[in-house]
Coordinates of all heavy atoms in Angstrom, one line a residue:
M295 N 1.5 -9.8 -4.1 CA 0.8 -8.7 -3.6 C 1.6 -7.4 -3.7 O 1.1 -6.4 -3.9 CB 0.4 -8.9 -2.1 CG -0.3 -7.8 -1.6 SD -0.7 -7.5 0.2 CE -0.8 -9.1 0.9
R296 N 2.9 -7.5 -3.4 CA 3.8 -6.3 -3.4 C 3.7 -5.6 -4.8 O 3.6 -4.4 -4.9 CB 5.2 -6.7 -3.1 CG 6.2 -5.6 -3.1 CD 7.6 -6.1 -2.8 NE 8.6 -5.1 -3.1 CZ 9.0 -4.3 -2.2 NH1 8.6 -4.3 -0.9 NH2 9.9 -3.4 -2.5
L297 N 3.7 -6.4 -5.9 CA 3.7 -5.8 -7.2 C 2.3 -5.1 -7.5 O 2.3 -4.0 -8.1 CB 3.9 -6.9 -8.3 CG 3.9 -6.4 -9.7 CD1 5.0 -5.3 -10.0 CD2 4.2 -7.6 -10.6
Q298 N 1.2 -5.7 -7.0 CA -0.1 -5.2 -7.2 C -0.2 -3.9 -6.4 O -0.8 -2.9 -6.9 CB -1.1 -6.2 -6.8 CG -1.2 -7.4 -7.7 CD -1.9 -8.5 -7.1 OE1 -2.0 -8.7 -5.9 NE2 -2.5 -9.4 -8.0
V299 N 0.3 -3.8 -5.2 CA 0.3 -2.6 -4.4 C 1.1 -1.5 -5.0 O 0.7 -0.4 -5.1 CB 0.8 -2.9 -2.9 CG1 1.0 -1.6 -2.2 CG2 -0.2 -3.8 -2.2
E300 N 2.3 -1.9 -5.5 CA 3.1 -0.9 -6.2 C 2.4 -0.3 -7.4 O 2.4 0.9 -7.6 CB 4.5 -1.5 -6.6 CG 5.4 -0.5 -7.3 CD 6.7 -1.1 -7.7 OE1 6.8 -2.4 -7.8 OE2 7.6 -0.3 -8.0
T301 N 1.8 -1.1 -8.2 CA 1.1 -0.7 -9.4 C 0.0 0.3 -9.0 O -0.2 1.3 -9.6 CB 0.5 -1.9 -10.2 OG1 1.6 -2.8 -10.5 CG2 -0.2 -1.5 -11.4
K302 N -0.8 -0.1 -8.0 CA -1.9 0.8 -7.6 C -1.4 2.1 -7.0 O -2.0 3.2 -7.3 CB -2.8 0.1 -6.5 CG -4.0 0.8 -6.2 CD -4.9 0.9 -7.4 CE -6.2 1.6 -7.0 NZ -7.1 1.8 -8.2
L303 N -0.4 2.1 -6.2 CA 0.2 3.4 -5.7 C 0.7 4.3 -6.8 O 0.5 5.5 -6.8 CB 1.3 3.1 -4.7 CG 0.8 2.5 -3.3 CD1 2.0 2.1 -2.5 CD2 -0.1 3.5 -2.6
C304 N 1.3 3.7 -7.8 CA 1.8 4.4 -9.0 C 0.6 5.0 -9.7 O 0.7 6.2 -10.2 CB 2.7 3.6 -9.9 SG 4.3 3.2 -9.2
E305 N -0.5 4.3 -9.9 CA -1.7 4.8 -10.5 C -2.2 6.1 -9.8 O -2.5 7.1 -10.3 CB -2.8 3.8 -10.5 CG -2.7 2.8 -11.6 CD -3.8 1.8 -11.6 OE1 -4.9 2.1 -11.0 OE2 -3.6 0.7 -12.0
L306 N -2.3 5.9 -8.4 CA -2.8 7.0 -7.6 C -1.9 8.3 -7.7 O -2.4 9.4 -7.7 CB -2.9 6.6 -6.1 CG -4.0 5.6 -5.8 CD1 -3.8 5.2 -4.3 CD2 -5.3 6.2 -6.1
G307 N -0.6 8.1 -7.8 CA 0.3 9.2 -7.9 C 0.8 9.6 -9.2 O 1.6 10.5 -9.4
S308 N 0.2 9.0 -10.3 CA 0.6 9.2 -11.7 C 2.1 9.1 -11.9 O 2.7 9.9 -12.5 CB 0.1 10.6 -12.1 OG -1.3 10.8 -12.0
L309 N 2.6 8.0 -11.4 CA 4.0 7.7 -11.5 C 4.2 6.4 -12.3 O 3.3 5.6 -12.5 CB 4.6 7.4 -10.1 CG 4.5 8.6 -9.1 CD1 4.9 8.1 -7.7 CD2 5.3 9.8 -9.5
E310 N 5.4 6.3 -12.9 CA 5.8 5.1 -13.6 C 6.2 4.0 -12.7 O 7.0 4.2 -11.8 CB 7.0 5.4 -14.5 CG 6.7 6.2 -15.8 CD 5.9 5.4 -16.8 OE1 6.2 4.2 -17.0 OE2 4.9 6.0 -17.3
P311 N 5.6 2.8 -12.9 CA 5.9 1.7 -12.0 C 7.4 1.3 -12.2 O 8.0 1.5 -13.2 CB 5.1 0.5 -12.6 CG 3.9 1.2 -13.3 CD 4.5 2.5 -13.8
A312 N 8.0 0.8 -11.1 CA 9.4 0.3 -11.0 C 10.4 1.4 -11.2 O 11.6 1.1 -11.4 CB 9.6 -0.8 -12.0
Q313 N 10.0 2.7 -11.0 CA 11.0 3.8 -11.1 C 11.4 4.3 -9.7 O 12.3 5.1 -9.6 CB 10.4 4.9 -11.9 CG 10.1 4.5 -13.4 CD 11.4 4.0 -14.1 OE1 12.4 4.7 -14.1 NE2 11.3 2.8 -14.7
F314 N 10.6 4.0 -8.7 CA 10.8 4.5 -7.3 C 10.8 3.4 -6.3 O 10.1 2.4 -6.5 CB 9.7 5.6 -7.0 CG 9.7 6.7 -8.0 CD1 8.7 6.7 -9.0 CD2 10.6 7.7 -7.9 CE1 8.7 7.7 -9.9 CE2 10.5 8.8 -8.9 CZ 9.6 8.8 -9.9
P315 N 11.6 3.5 -5.3 CA 11.7 2.5 -4.3 C 10.4 2.3 -3.5 O 9.7 3.3 -3.2 CB 12.8 2.9 -3.3 CG 13.0 4.3 -3.6 CD 12.5 4.7 -4.9
L316 N 10.0 1.0 -3.2 CA 8.9 0.7 -2.4 C 9.4 -0.1 -1.2 O 10.1 -1.1 -1.3 CB 7.9 -0.2 -3.2 CG 6.7 -0.7 -2.4 CD1 5.7 0.5 -2.1 CD2 6.0 -1.8 -3.2
T317 N 9.1 0.5 0.0 CA 9.5 -0.2 1.2 C 8.3 -0.9 1.9 O 7.2 -0.5 1.6 CB 10.2 0.8 2.2 OG1 9.3 1.8 2.5 CG2 11.5 1.3 1.7
Q318 N 8.6 -1.8 2.7 CA 7.5 -2.5 3.4 C 8.0 -2.9 4.8 O 9.1 -3.2 5.0 CB 6.9 -3.7 2.7 CG 7.9 -4.9 2.7 CD 7.3 -6.0 1.8 OE1 6.9 -5.8 0.7 NE2 7.2 -7.2 2.4
R319 N 7.0 -2.8 5.8 CA 7.3 -3.2 7.2 C 6.1 -3.9 7.7 O 5.0 -3.7 7.3 CB 7.5 -2.0 8.0 CG 8.8 -1.2 7.6 CD 9.0 0.0 8.5 NE 10.1 0.8 8.0 CZ 11.1 1.1 8.7 NH1 11.2 0.8 9.9 NH2 12.1 1.8 8.1
E320 N 6.4 -4.8 8.6 CA 5.3 -5.6 9.3 C 4.7 -4.7 10.4 O 5.5 -4.0 11.1 CB 5.8 -6.8 9.9 CG 6.2 -7.9 8.9 CD 6.6 -9.2 9.6 OE1 6.6 -9.3 10.8 OE2 7.0 -10.1 8.8
V321 N 3.4 -4.7 10.6 CA 2.8 -4.0 11.7 C 2.4 -5.1 12.7 O 1.7 -6.1 12.3 CB 1.5 -3.3 11.2 CG1 0.8 -2.6 12.4 CG2 1.8 -2.3 10.2
V322 N 2.9 -5.0 13.9 CA 2.8 -6.1 14.9 C 1.9 -5.6 16.1 O 2.0 -4.5 16.6 CB 4.2 -6.5 15.5 CG1 4.0 -7.5 16.6 CG2 5.1 -7.0 14.4
R323 N 0.9 -6.4 16.4 CA 0.0 -6.1 17.5 C 0.0 -7.4 18.5 O -0.2 -8.5 18.0 CB -1.4 -5.9 17.1 CG -2.3 -5.6 18.2 CD -3.8 -5.4 17.7 NE -3.8 -4.1 17.0 CZ -4.8 -3.8 16.2 NH1 -5.7 -4.7 15.9 NH2 -4.8 -2.6 15.6
R324 N 0.4 -7.2 19.7 CA 0.4 -8.2 20.7 C 1.3 -9.4 20.3 O 1.0 -10.6 20.4 CB -1.0 -8.8 21.0 CG -1.8 -7.7 21.7 CD -3.2 -8.3 22.0 NE -4.1 -7.2 22.4 CZ -5.4 -7.2 22.2 NH1 -5.9 -8.2 21.6 NH2 -6.1 -6.2 22.6
G325 N 2.4 -9.0 19.6 CA 3.4 -10.0 19.2 C 3.1 -10.7 17.9 O 3.9 -11.6 17.5
K326 N 2.0 -10.4 17.3 CA 1.7 -11.1 16.0 C 1.5 -10.0 14.9 O 1.1 -8.9 15.1 CB 0.3 -11.8 16.1 CG 0.4 -13.0 17.1 CD -0.9 -13.7 17.1 CE -0.8 -14.9 18.0 NZ -2.1 -15.7 18.1
T327 N 2.0 -10.4 13.7 CA 1.8 -9.6 12.5 C 0.4 -9.4 12.2 O -0.3 -10.4 12.0 CB 2.6 -10.1 11.3 OG1 4.0 -10.2 11.7 CG2 2.5 -9.2 10.1
C328 N -0.1 -8.2 12.1 CA -1.6 -8.0 11.8 C -1.7 -7.2 10.5 O -2.8 -7.2 9.9 CB -2.3 -7.2 12.9 SG -1.6 -5.6 13.2
A329 N -0.7 -6.6 10.0 CA -0.8 -5.9 8.7 C 0.6 -5.7 8.1 O 1.6 -5.9 8.8 CB -1.4 -4.5 9.0
I330 N 0.6 -5.2 6.9 CA 1.9 -4.8 6.2 C 1.7 -3.4 5.7 O 0.8 -3.1 5.1 CB 2.2 -5.8 5.1 CG1 2.3 -7.2 5.6 CG2 3.5 -5.4 4.4 CD1 2.5 -8.3 4.5
Y331 N 2.7 -2.6 6.1 CA 2.7 -1.2 5.7 C 3.6 -1.0 4.5 O 4.8 -1.4 4.5 CB 3.2 -0.3 6.9 CG 3.5 1.1 6.6 CD1 2.5 2.0 6.5 CD2 4.8 1.6 6.3 CE1 2.7 3.4 6.2 CE2 5.1 2.9 6.0 CZ 4.0 3.8 6.0 OH 4.3 5.1 5.7
F332 N 3.1 -0.4 3.4 CA 3.9 -0.2 2.2 C 4.1 1.3 2.0 O 3.1 2.1 2.3 CB 3.2 -0.7 1.0 CG 3.1 -2.2 0.9 CD1 1.9 -2.8 1.4 CD2 4.1 -3.0 0.4 CE1 1.8 -4.2 1.4 CE2 3.9 -4.4 0.4 CZ 2.8 -5.0 0.9
C333 N 5.2 1.8 1.6 CA 5.5 3.2 1.3 C 6.3 3.3 0.0 O 7.4 2.8 -0.1 CB 6.2 3.8 2.4 SG 6.5 5.6 2.2
L334 N 5.7 4.0 -1.0 CA 6.3 4.3 -2.2 C 7.0 5.6 -2.1 O 6.3 6.6 -1.9 CB 5.3 4.3 -3.4 CG 5.9 4.5 -4.8 CD1 6.7 3.3 -5.2 CD2 4.8 4.8 -5.8
H335 N 8.3 5.7 -2.3 CA 9.0 6.9 -2.1 C 9.2 7.6 -3.5 O 10.1 7.2 -4.2 CB 10.4 6.6 -1.5 CG 10.3 6.0 -0.1 ND1 10.2 6.7 1.0 CD2 10.2 4.6 0.2 CE1 10.0 5.8 2.0 NE2 10.0 4.6 1.5
G336 N 8.4 8.5 -3.8 CA 8.4 9.1 -5.1 C 9.4 10.3 -5.2 O 10.1 10.6 -4.3
P337 N 9.3 11.1 -6.3 CA 10.1 12.3 -6.4 C 9.8 13.4 -5.5 O 8.6 13.5 -5.0 CB 9.9 12.7 -7.9 CG 8.5 12.2 -8.2 CD 8.3 11.0 -7.4
R338 N 10.7 14.3 -5.2 CA 10.5 15.4 -4.3 C 9.8 15.1 -3.0 O 8.9 15.8 -2.6 CB 9.7 16.5 -5.1 CG 10.4 17.0 -6.4 CD 9.5 17.9 -7.2 NE 8.3 17.3 -7.6 CZ 8.1 16.5 -8.7 NH1 9.1 16.2 -9.4 NH2 6.9 16.0 -9.0
S339 N 10.3 14.1 -2.4 CA 9.8 13.6 -1.1 C 8.3 13.2 -1.1 O 7.6 13.2 0.0 CB 10.0 14.7 0.0 OG 11.4 14.9 0.1
V340 N 7.7 12.9 -2.2 CA 6.3 12.4 -2.3 C 6.3 11.0 -1.7 O 7.1 10.2 -2.1 CB 5.8 12.5 -3.7 CG1 4.5 11.7 -3.9 CG2 5.7 13.9 -4.2
K341 N 5.4 10.7 -0.8 CA 5.2 9.4 -0.3 C 3.8 9.0 -0.4 O 2.9 9.7 0.0 CB 5.6 9.3 1.2 CG 7.1 9.5 1.4 CD 7.5 9.4 2.8 CE 9.0 9.6 2.9 NZ 9.4 9.6 4.3
L342 N 3.5 7.8 -1.0 CA 2.2 7.2 -1.1 C 2.3 5.9 -0.3 O 3.2 5.2 -0.4 CB 1.9 6.9 -2.6 CG 1.9 8.1 -3.5 CD1 2.6 7.9 -4.8 CD2 0.4 8.5 -3.8
T343 N 1.2 5.7 0.4 CA 1.3 4.5 1.4 C 0.0 3.6 1.2 O -1.0 4.0 0.6 CB 1.3 5.0 2.8 OG1 0.2 5.8 3.1 CG2 2.6 5.8 3.1
A344 N 0.2 2.4 1.7 CA -0.9 1.4 1.7 C -0.7 0.5 2.9 O 0.4 0.3 3.4 CB -0.9 0.6 0.4
I345 N -1.8 0.1 3.5 CA -1.8 -0.8 4.6 C -2.6 -2.1 4.2 O -3.8 -2.0 3.9 CB -2.4 -0.2 5.9 CG1 -1.7 1.1 6.2 CG2 -2.4 -1.2 7.0 CD1 -0.9 1.1 7.4
A346 N -1.9 -3.2 4.2 CA -2.6 -4.5 3.9 C -3.0 -5.1 5.2 O -2.1 -5.5 6.0 CB -1.7 -5.4 3.1
D347 N -4.3 -5.2 5.5 CA -4.8 -5.7 6.7 C -5.0 -7.2 6.6 O -5.8 -7.7 5.8 CB -6.1 -5.0 7.1 CG -6.7 -5.4 8.4 OD1 -6.3 -6.5 8.9 OD2 -7.6 -4.7 8.9
L348 N -4.3 -8.0 7.3 CA -4.3 -9.5 7.2 C -5.6 -10.0 7.7 O -6.1 -11.1 7.2 CB -3.1 -10.1 7.9 CG -1.7 -9.6 7.5 CD1 -0.6 -10.3 8.3 CD2 -1.5 -9.9 6.0
K349 N -6.2 -9.4 8.7 CA -7.5 -10.0 9.2 C -8.7 -9.7 8.3 O -9.4 -10.7 8.0 CB -7.8 -9.3 10.6 CG -9.0 -9.9 11.3 CD -9.2 -9.3 12.7 CE -10.4 -9.9 13.3 NZ -10.6 -9.3 14.6
S350 N -8.8 -8.5 7.8 CA -10.0 -8.2 6.9 C -9.7 -8.6 5.5 O -10.6 -8.5 4.6 CB -10.3 -6.8 7.0 OG -9.3 -5.9 6.4
R351 N -8.4 -8.9 5.2 CA -8.0 -9.3 3.8 C -8.3 -8.2 2.8 O -8.9 -8.4 1.8 CB -8.6 -10.7 3.4 CG -8.2 -11.8 4.3 CD -8.7 -13.1 3.9 NE -8.4 -13.5 2.6 CZ -7.2 -14.1 2.2 NH1 -6.2 -14.2 3.1 NH2 -7.0 -14.4 0.9
S352 N -7.9 -7.0 3.2 CA -8.1 -5.9 2.3 C -6.9 -4.9 2.4 O -6.1 -5.0 3.4 CB -9.4 -5.1 2.7 OG -9.3 -4.6 4.0
T353 N -6.7 -4.0 1.4 CA -5.7 -3.1 1.4 C -6.2 -1.7 1.3 O -7.1 -1.4 0.4 CB -4.7 -3.3 0.3 OG1 -4.2 -4.7 0.4 CG2 -3.5 -2.4 0.3
V354 N -5.8 -0.8 2.2 CA -6.2 0.6 2.1 C -5.1 1.4 1.5 O -4.0 1.4 2.0 CB -6.6 1.1 3.5 CG1 -7.1 2.6 3.5 CG2 -7.6 0.2 4.2
F355 N -5.4 2.3 0.5 CA -4.4 3.1 -0.2 C -4.6 4.5 0.2 O -5.8 5.0 0.3 CB -4.6 2.9 -1.7 CG -4.3 1.5 -2.2 CD1 -5.3 0.6 -2.2 CD2 -3.0 1.2 -2.5 CE1 -5.0 -0.7 -2.7 CE2 -2.7 -0.1 -3.0 CZ -3.7 -1.1 -3.0
Y356 N -3.5 5.2 0.5 CA -3.5 6.6 0.8 C -2.7 7.4 -0.2 O -1.7 7.0 -0.6 CB -2.9 6.8 2.2 CG -3.6 6.1 3.3 CD1 -3.3 4.8 3.7 CD2 -4.6 6.7 4.0 CE1 -4.0 4.1 4.6 CE2 -5.3 6.1 5.0 CZ -5.0 4.8 5.3 OH -5.7 4.1 6.3
G357 N -3.2 8.7 -0.5 CA -2.5 9.5 -1.4 C -1.3 10.2 -0.7 O -1.1 10.0 0.5
S358 N -0.6 11.1 -1.4 CA 0.5 11.7 -0.9 C 0.2 12.7 0.2 O 1.0 13.1 1.0 CB 1.3 12.4 -2.0 OG 0.5 13.4 -2.6
D359 N -1.1 13.1 0.3 CA -1.6 14.1 1.3 C -2.0 13.3 2.5 O -2.5 13.9 3.5 CB -2.7 14.9 0.8 CG -3.8 14.1 0.2 OD1 -3.8 12.9 0.2 OD2 -4.8 14.8 -0.3
G360 N -2.0 12.0 2.5 CA -2.4 11.2 3.7 C -3.8 10.9 3.8 O -4.3 10.2 4.7
V361 N -4.6 11.3 2.8 CA -6.0 11.0 2.7 C -6.3 9.7 2.1 O -5.7 9.3 1.1 CB -6.8 12.1 1.9 CG1 -8.2 11.8 1.8 CG2 -6.6 13.5 2.6
R362 N -7.2 8.9 2.7 CA -7.6 7.6 2.2 C -8.2 7.7 0.8 O -9.2 8.5 0.7 CB -8.6 6.9 3.2 CG -8.9 5.5 2.8 CD -10.0 4.9 3.6 NE -9.5 4.8 5.0 CZ -10.1 4.0 5.9 NH1 -11.1 3.3 5.6 NH2 -9.5 3.9 7.1
R363 N -7.7 7.0 -0.1 CA -8.2 7.1 -1.5 C -9.0 5.9 -1.9 O -10.0 6.1 -2.6 CB -7.0 7.2 -2.5 CG -6.1 8.4 -2.3 CD -6.8 9.6 -2.7 NE -5.9 10.8 -2.5 CZ -6.3 12.0 -2.3 NH1 -7.6 12.3 -2.4 NH2 -5.4 12.9 -2.1
E364 N -8.7 4.7 -1.5 CA -9.4 3.6 -1.9 C -9.1 2.4 -1.0 O -8.0 2.3 -0.4 CB -8.9 3.2 -3.3 CG -9.8 2.3 -4.1 CD -9.4 2.2 -5.5 OE1 -8.7 3.0 -6.0 OE2 -9.8 1.2 -6.2
T365 N -10.1 1.5 -0.9 CA -9.9 0.3 -0.1 C -10.3 -0.8 -1.1 O -11.4 -0.8 -1.7 CB -10.8 0.2 1.1 OG1 -10.5 1.3 2.0 CG2 -10.7 -1.1 1.9
I366 N -9.4 -1.8 -1.2 CA -9.7 -2.9 -2.1 C -9.5 -4.2 -1.4 O -8.5 -4.5 -0.7 CB -8.7 -2.9 -3.3 CG1 -8.8 -1.6 -4.1 CG2 -8.8 -4.1 -4.2 CD1 -7.9 -1.5 -5.2
R367 N -10.6 -5.1 -1.5 CA -10.5 -6.4 -0.9 C -9.5 -7.3 -1.8 O -9.5 -7.1 -3.0 CB -11.9 -7.1 -0.8 CG -12.8 -6.3 0.1 CD -14.1 -7.0 0.4 NE -13.9 -8.4 0.8 CZ -13.6 -8.9 2.0 NH1 -13.4 -8.0 2.9 NH2 -13.5 -10.1 2.2
W368 N -8.8 -8.2 -1.2 CA -7.8 -9.0 -1.9 C -8.4 -9.8 -3.0 O -7.8 -10.0 -4.1 CB -7.1 -9.9 -1.0 CG -6.2 -9.1 0.0 CD1 -6.0 -7.7 -0.1 CD2 -5.4 -9.6 1.1 NE1 -5.1 -7.4 0.9 CE2 -4.8 -8.5 1.7 CE3 -5.3 -10.8 1.6 CZ2 -4.0 -8.6 2.7 CZ3 -4.4 -11.0 2.7 CH2 -3.8 -9.9 3.2
D369 N -9.7 -10.2 -2.9 CA -10.3 -11.0 -4.0 C -10.6 -10.1 -5.2 O -10.9 -10.6 -6.3 CB -11.5 -11.7 -3.5 CG -12.6 -10.8 -2.8 OD1 -12.4 -9.6 -2.8 OD2 -13.6 -11.4 -2.4
Q370 N -10.5 -8.8 -5.0 CA -10.7 -7.9 -6.1 C -9.5 -7.4 -6.8 O -9.5 -6.8 -7.9 CB -11.5 -6.6 -5.7 CG -12.8 -6.8 -5.1 CD -13.4 -5.6 -4.5 OE1 -12.7 -4.7 -4.1 NE2 -14.7 -5.5 -4.5
L371 N -8.3 -7.7 -6.2 CA -7.0 -7.4 -6.9 C -6.8 -8.2 -8.1 O -7.1 -9.3 -8.2 CB -5.9 -7.6 -5.9 CG -5.7 -6.6 -4.8 CD1 -4.6 -7.0 -3.8 CD2 -5.4 -5.2 -5.3
R372 N -6.1 -7.5 -9.1 CA -5.9 -8.2 -10.4 C -4.8 -9.3 -10.2 O -3.9 -9.2 -9.6 CB -5.3 -7.2 -11.4 CG -6.3 -6.1 -11.6 CD -5.6 -5.1 -12.6 NE -6.0 -3.8 -12.1 CZ -5.2 -2.7 -12.2 NH1 -4.0 -2.8 -12.7 NH2 -5.6 -1.6 -11.7

């Protein structure tokens, strides 16, 4: 999943894959992991993010301006 998220974030930001660091963190609610937060750290402090929701089995992608760009269900990921 991490590689697919990185590829999609790079597409959104018109960046080359595997050229910038991608961090991830668990999102915890009531002591249980409910999502995974991804952040692609691009050039000039550009940050593209995604949240993988474990309950709905979908990932929401956000542009560098923080606006929601796309939601993809996991069964639709390549």
Side-chain angles (χ1 to χ4, degrees):
M295 179 192 332
R296 181 182 167 93
L297 181 59
Q298 293 163 332
V299 168
E300 180 181 17
T301 301
K302 186 65 177 174
L303 288 174
C304 286
E305 279 179 26
L306 289 174
S308 300
L309 301 172
E310 283 291 319
Q313 297 301 310
F314 302 99
L316 178 69
T317 58
Q318 70 184 54
R319 295 179 187 236
E320 290 183 3
V321 179
V322 178
R323 179 184 289 161
R324 296 184 190 145
K326 294 184 180 179
T327 301
C328 62
I330 301 172
Y331 170 82
F332 295 93
C333 184
L334 182 72
H335 304 270
R338 298 174 302 280
S339 299
V340 170
K341 292 183 181 177
L342 298 134
T343 58
I345 305 251
D347 184 342
L348 302 178
K349 185 176 180 184
S350 69
R351 300 183 55 80
S352 64
T353 304
V354 181
F355 295 90
Y356 297 89
S358 60
D359 55 1
V361 175
R362 183 185 296 198
R363 299 290 181 202
E364 193 170 347
T365 301
I366 298 179
R367 296 191 48 80
W368 291 353
D369 55 4
Q370 296 173 335
L371 284 173
R372 301 177 221 145

